[in-house]
Amino acid sequence: MMFLILLKAVTVFLLITLSAWGIGDWITSFVLKRNNHLISKLAKMLISFSVGLGLIGQSIFIAGLAGDFYQEKYFWAFFFFLGTFSIYRYFAYYSKETIPKFSFFKDVKIREIIIVVLVIVLFIVWFYSAINFTRGSDVISHHYQHAKECIRQRHFAHIYTLPSGYDHVANYNPTMLHMLYLGGKILSDDRAANLLHWFTLVMLIASIYVFARDYFSRLSAFMSVAVFLGFRAMFNYSVDVGDYPALAVFMMMSLYCLFAYRKTNSIRFLLLGGLLSGLMLSTKYFGIPMIIALSSVILIGNDLKLFHRIRASCLFFIIAFIIYSPWLIYSFKEFSNPIYPYFSKVDFLVRLWALTKLNILDRFISVTDISYFWSKFLYYTSIFIPFEPTFNAFGLTPLILIGFPCSVYYCLFKRNNPRFTDINLLFIVSLIAYFSVELPGKLLLWYKFAFFAGIIYAISFSAMYNHWKASALKWVWVGVIFVATLNTFLEVKSIKDNYLRLSPFFEQKEVWLPLEKCLNETLKENAVVANHDIHTNYYLRPDIVGYPSHETSIDWSKEESIIRNKGVQYYVFNPSEKMDTVTFYQNKVNLLIKMSDYEKAEVVRDTLNLYLERTDKQEAFLKKVGIFLNELPDGKVLYLLNLDEKSKIKGGQ
């Protein structure tokens, strides 16, 4: 029985990807017209998959705004139609094409075989992980949680959390990838959605290879892939399902089209690049700074007159923002801010961001520090620590130390050499990508988001190295392959230890924690429960309505108002939460004062005082209306609430 369920998940995944290829290939062929032959078949296939998956996600989002269309029957009809169209398109246009000869083993080198083996090992391990139920982190706190809530409400919606009703802040981003995951979940379960994430990882590595191969050389392509495998940051996104790899795929395919436009001056590649950038924008807000980097290919990487470059850039941005516009319109209509919650005065975000800088630098602060100077210094230089285990920093330290000065040298002194024009342009694009993403975070995010700039730079310095003499290049290859092999080993070990807890043939309930098991087995049908962890909320039975606690609550009146208005019947109370939270905030206040950051210290102290007031009212509320049901081994207590007007206490809403 479980084998059939697993088979269904794989079938749904294949149906979605088949549908994506068909619609994507149709649109790509329509846009390119007679320019199809100017790009490789592998590049066109990757572009088609990217366009198709993106537009399917956009369509699901728009359908969710139009009405209650998030139902299984509508999705089967939608994908059956697209799947049938894709099969028709294949047999009508591609079935009679001759299969190109597979020439990999022609003049193959041992280093290429090693890289292929590493990639295959990772693909297999990632696939096996994808067909498991994994607890993950972000995947449960908001990616799948958001998809589950949309399915429950049958239309596009947000998760309602205590104490203020705000969703997880990441879910206010454009969430086109969530819509694709929703398609997999509504037709099957988590595993179909997991496989879609796995497919974006495959596409990302393929896109790096095909870009470097088509614009540089086969050797540069293999080295670029190996360098990418050497980025420890990459493994932050391999099995914890998210949207960064997909954003990187859209980025790479848009970059591919912009390079094609640069070399052919065909407006059709510019249009296709704009379309892909629009899908990148629809994936996450980080697409906004990334599109600035991509536009630099048009503005500085072209020999056209300035007027023509500006006109082409404007057209590129117009196409991109037309594709992105449904998300802008939705956010503006719903929140009066097209990029909500940024630049909006949301109280809990102000309090959260007061601790952001400190939380990032915390591990670098010593007992003698009285300012952020040395902690920032150590933070930035930690990029040069090989195989840094907790920060997921780049592992190719020696190559970065050697490569970066060389890239600067080539950019300054070889800028008129045609052999280095593309190499230098990619280096500049990677720098713009890095700083355009980092500056909004005040240069305190590189360890995570340099991922995007790193992908582009990997291709640039791989192509640069392959211009070196053979005697020097062989040592570069030794370093690249060594680091890629070591990181692959660490990745496989990490997945085995942390993710592959069960075989693919177990049910999801096998990963339930005690509270999840208690709620699912104790609560009556259509029960309403509140104040549990946001991760726990994901594992509740579909009929249970949950209002998890997401941010530190500082206003009991708001919280009680939600409890009463939403008809909450059960309440989870954690007695140890108060002591843990007070200790946490007191330590942060003391540390901020020590670092002379008095303004943020005052914000955190205010948060702590308000939290203590709120907690006193919470305990009084439970004492008055709570009926004890169960106490779990970890100390959490489940209460049945007896709510009526007489039970309303002073201070509540």
Side-chain angles (χ1 to χ4, degrees):
M1 182 62 181
M2 288 307 300
F3 173 77
L4 294 177
I5 295 175
L6 180 59
L7 181 62
K8 180 183 178 183
V10 175
T11 303
V12 167
F13 158 70
L14 292 174
L15 175 61
I16 294 174
T17 51
L18 172 67
S19 301
W21 172 81
I23 191 68
D25 184 75
W26 174 56
I27 292 173
T28 302
S29 299
F30 175 79
V31 174
L32 292 181
K33 294 290 185 183
R34 298 174 183 175
N35 293 307
N36 280 288
H37 67 283
L38 297 177
I39 59 175
S40 65
K41 290 184 178 180
L42 180 56
K44 186 187 176 187
M45 183 175 68
L46 288 170
I47 292 171
S48 297
F49 274 119
S50 301
V51 170
L53 287 170
L55 293 182
I56 287 173
Q58 296 286 73
S59 300
I60 293 173
F61 168 62
I62 293 170
L65 297 179
D68 292 342
F69 290 108
Y70 292 170
Q71 300 181 52
E72 188 175 351
K73 60 183 179 181
Y74 295 124
F75 275 74
W76 277 121
F78 178 62
F79 284 113
F80 178 79
F81 171 77
L82 289 182
T84 303
F85 172 78
S86 300
I87 293 171
Y88 161 77
R89 182 165 183 83
Y90 172 77
F91 283 104
Y93 295 94
Y94 295 98
S95 61
K96 295 181 180 179
E97 284 192 2
T98 55
I99 300 175
K101 293 183 179 179
F102 188 62
S103 58
F104 171 74
F105 292 103
K106 184 178 180 181
D107 301 324
V108 66
K109 295 176 174 58
I110 186 67
R111 59 197 173 205
E112 296 174 345
I113 294 175
I114 293 172
I115 295 167
V116 169
V117 169
L118 293 177
V119 170
I120 291 174
V121 167
L122 286 173
F123 284 173
I124 292 172
V125 172
W126 290 340
F127 182 86
Y128 188 79
S129 176
I131 58 176
N132 272 262
F133 285 111
T134 57
R135 293 194 67 88
S137 176
D138 288 354
V139 57
I140 302 303
S141 66
H142 59 280
H143 296 304
Y144 284 2
Q145 183 108 230
H146 186 208
K148 178 185 176 183
E149 184 65 17
C150 290
I151 293 171
R152 188 182 73 82
Q153 297 197 34
R154 298 187 175 186
H155 56 259
F156 188 82
H158 284 288
I159 306 161
Y160 205 92
T161 67
L162 297 180
S164 304
Y166 291 116
D167 194 351
H168 190 292
V169 64
N171 288 340
Y172 294 113
N173 277 255
T175 51
M176 182 258 288
L177 256 291
H178 294 189
M179 301 299 96
L180 287 173
Y181 298 147
L182 184 153
K185 286 175 60 61
I186 204 168
L187 296 181
S188 177
D189 55 27
D190 283 12
R191 288 169 289 201
N194 291 348
L195 287 170
L196 288 170
H197 174 72
W198 171 82
F199 188 60
T200 63
L201 291 169
V202 174
M203 288 177 64
L204 179 54
I205 290 178
S207 68
I208 294 170
Y209 174 83
V210 75
F211 185 99
R213 185 200 65 182
D214 290 359
Y215 291 117
F216 296 104
S217 67
R218 171 169 151 161
L219 277 180
S220 297
F222 275 102
M223 182 180 281
S224 299
V225 171
V227 169
F228 178 68
L229 298 184
F231 289 173
R232 284 301 296 159
M234 186 272 288
F235 297 132
N236 205 37
Y237 311 113
S238 56
V239 292
D240 189 7
V241 177
D243 37 29
Y244 293 110
L247 193 154
V249 170
F250 292 126
M251 175 192 75
M252 285 303 302
M253 289 294 91
S254 180
L255 188 63
Y256 186 100
C257 292
L258 293 178
F259 261 66
Y261 166 71
R262 179 171 167 269
K263 293 180 181 300
T264 64
N265 283 329
S266 171
I267 198 72
R268 295 186 178 277
F269 285 112
L270 184 66
L271 297 176
L272 194 56
L275 189 159
L276 287 159
S277 289
L279 297 174
M280 177 183 71
L281 291 168
S282 302
T283 304
K284 207 172 185 68
Y285 281 139
F286 281 102
I288 296 175
M290 287 311 305
I291 198 173
I292 298 172
L294 293 179
S295 67
S296 65
V297 175
I298 307 170
L299 287 170
I300 65 175
N302 205 303
D303 294 330
L304 296 173
K305 292 181 179 180
L306 180 60
F307 171 77
H308 294 293
R309 280 181 277 162
I310 294 175
R311 186 176 63 180
S313 299
C314 290
L315 179 59
F316 170 71
F317 278 110
I318 289 170
I319 297 298
F321 277 88
I322 287 174
I323 300 298
Y324 177 41
S325 61
W327 298 95
L328 292 172
I329 295 169
Y330 167 76
S331 292
F332 184 77
K333 182 180 177 182
E334 195 75 14
F335 309 110
S336 301
N337 180 354
I339 54 171
Y340 183 84
Y342 299 100
F343 308 111
S344 295
K345 293 183 179 180
V346 181
D347 184 65
F348 90 90
L349 287 179
V350 173
R351 298 179 186 280
L352 175 67
W353 288 333
L355 289 172
T356 299
K357 182 178 182 179
L358 189 66
N359 289 337
I360 291 173
L361 296 176
D362 196 12
R363 72 190 72 194
F364 299 102
I365 297 174
S366 71
V367 293
T368 59
D369 284 345
I370 57 173
S371 73
Y372 290 114
F373 177 81
W374 287 111
S375 58
K376 280 187 177 181
F377 175 80
L378 292 172
Y379 171 86
Y380 295 131
T381 54
S382 65
I383 193 172
F384 304 121
I385 302 173
F387 321 118
E388 209 286 328
T390 58
F391 228 48
N392 283 324
F394 297 135
L396 288 175
T397 305
L399 295 178
I400 290 174
L401 289 173
I402 298 169
F404 191 84
C406 291
S407 294
V408 173
Y409 171 80
Y410 283 119
C411 200
L412 293 176
F413 301 106
K414 299 285 186 179
R415 61 181 180 274
N416 296 322
N417 188 328
R419 292 194 305 164
F420 297 102
T421 302
D422 289 350
I423 294 171
N424 290 336
L425 178 58
L426 275 183
F427 174 59
I428 293 171
V429 172
S430 69
L431 287 179
I432 296 173
Y434 173 76
F435 285 108
S436 62
V437 173
E438 291 298 297
L439 286 175
K442 297 182 180 179
L443 298 177
L444 289 174
L445 297 171
W446 68 261
Y447 69 96
K448 189 172 184 180
F449 302 119
F451 173 71
F452 304 113
I455 292 170
I456 301 171
Y457 186 51
I459 300 172
S460 175
F461 76 60
S462 294
M464 176 188 68
Y465 281 136
N466 278 285
H467 283 290
W468 285 18
K469 293 180 180 179
S471 57
L473 181 60
K474 69 178 181 181
W475 292 110
V476 177
W477 273 107
V478 169
V480 166
I481 291 175
F482 172 75
V483 175
T485 303
L486 179 60
N487 279 343
T488 300
F489 170 78
L490 294 174
E491 167 76 343
V492 173
K493 185 178 185 301
S494 174
I495 292 175
K496 177 180 177 295
D497 294 344
N498 300 311
Y499 288 93
L500 302 184
R501 303 176 184 177
L502 302 168
S503 84
F505 301 105
F506 280 87
E507 296 183 69
Q508 190 185 54
K509 65 182 180 181
E510 299 295 333
V511 300
W512 286 351
L513 295 178
L515 178 59
E516 294 151 11
K517 187 175 181 180
C518 171
L519 295 176
N520 283 321
E521 293 179 352
T522 303
L523 270 55
K524 63 183 181 181
E525 189 175 355
N526 298 319
V528 183
V529 61
N531 203 49
H532 48 285
D533 181 73
I534 196 165
H535 291 80
T536 297
N537 195 65
Y538 179 73
Y539 292 102
L540 297 181
R541 295 192 325 253
D543 64 283
I544 297 175
V545 178
Y547 297 106
S549 176
H550 176 45
E551 81 244 20
T552 300
S553 181
I554 58 172
D555 188 342
W556 177 252
S557 63
K558 287 184 179 179
E559 192 167 350
E560 185 180 343
S561 176
I562 292 173
I563 290 170
R564 292 182 179 279
N565 292 336
K566 299 293 184 180
V568 173
Q569 301 159 319
Y570 300 90
Y571 193 88
V572 178
F573 178 68
N574 183 4
S576 66
E577 178 193 283
K578 182 176 181 179
M579 182 180 295
D580 294 342
T581 303
V582 169
T583 301
F584 171 82
Y585 278 111
Q586 283 178 340
N587 290 338
K588 295 300 181 184
V589 169
N590 294 336
L591 193 53
L592 285 166
I593 292 174
K594 179 173 173 286
M595 304 302 287
S596 304
D597 201 344
Y598 300 111
E599 185 178 346
K600 289 188 176 67
E602 191 59 35
V603 172
V604 176
R605 184 185 287 112
D606 181 60
T607 301
L608 174 58
N609 292 333
L610 291 173
Y611 170 77
L612 288 172
E613 291 179 16
R614 169 262 176 193
T615 304
D616 291 340
K617 294 176 182 178
Q618 176 200 38
E619 292 171 351
F621 171 80
L622 290 175
K623 186 176 180 180
K624 187 158 187 119
V625 306
I627 301 172
F628 174 86
L629 288 182
N630 197 359
E631 182 176 359
L632 299 173
D634 61 0
K636 293 186 179 73
V637 179
L638 178 63
Y639 286 97
L640 174 67
L641 299 183
N642 179 25
L643 295 175
D644 53 51
E645 286 302 313
K646 293 180 181 179
S647 69
K648 191 172 174 181
I649 64 171
K650 189 176 181 180
Q653 179 64 33

